[in-house]
Amino acid sequence: MKFFIDTADIEQIKEILPTGLVDGVTTNPSLIAKQGKDMRGIIESICEIVKGPVSAEVTATDYENMKKEGLYLSSIAKNIAVKVPLTEDGLKTCRELSNKGIMVNVTLCFSAGQAILAAKSGATFISPFVGRLDDINESGIGLIKEIYEIYKNYNFQTSILVASVRSMEHIIESAKIGAQIATLPPKLIKELFIHPLTDKGLKAFLEDWKKTGQKIIPDNG
Ligand code: G3P
């Protein structure tokens, strides 16, 4: 499973980069707005340090302007994935951009029917928002399962990019289904490392080792 980081905060990305776990980045207008900085500058700085796909979202809602914005965003760096919403104009834009060899991430997906349309429109990535479906008492993971099954049936080449991830359960259940990518808030990446029994076991190892009075590398090493 690939992990993308779901943030526009360059410092958070820099902090996680050394783990080697950053396969890409997703941003959206809300994440950009949180930074209070120029959008282009943010995207350029992310693309300078992250080699995998970096999603940058259009904000126009009509096809002609979505296409113009998508071409502009794509020109910022070679690893840009243009994000378009799952609307009729968004999918027309997706078709146009993907025909030009531009990566497209179709976002705000909430149904299997929408996901079929995105795949048929040539989407590189489909972003089903699992957390927001859970918020309205629908099953976000259930949607991932449906999409995975349908895409497999027709050998669609669109990658499932699980978004709106709120918990370890979302990550693990998506991985058990076989979703190719999960885009994670930075705090969730950190949580993946943590288990109380790991901390407890390491503490016991080190206490026992200390009793030996030895060092791994002897002083004369
Ligand atoms: O990638 C989409 C994500 O940023 C939305 O997450 O928690 O606002 O639904 P959330």
Side-chain angles (χ1 to χ4, degrees), residues 102-113:
I102 294 169
M103 286 191 286
V104 181
N105 179 356
V106 176
T107 190
L108 290 168
C109 172
F110 295 96
S111 76

Side-chain angles (χ1 to χ4, degrees), residues 6 28 31 83 129 132 163-164 166 183:
D6 194 38
N28 60 44
L31 292 173
K83 234 184 187 184
F129 278 35
R132 294 193 190 184
S164 186
R166 308 275 182 77
T183 191

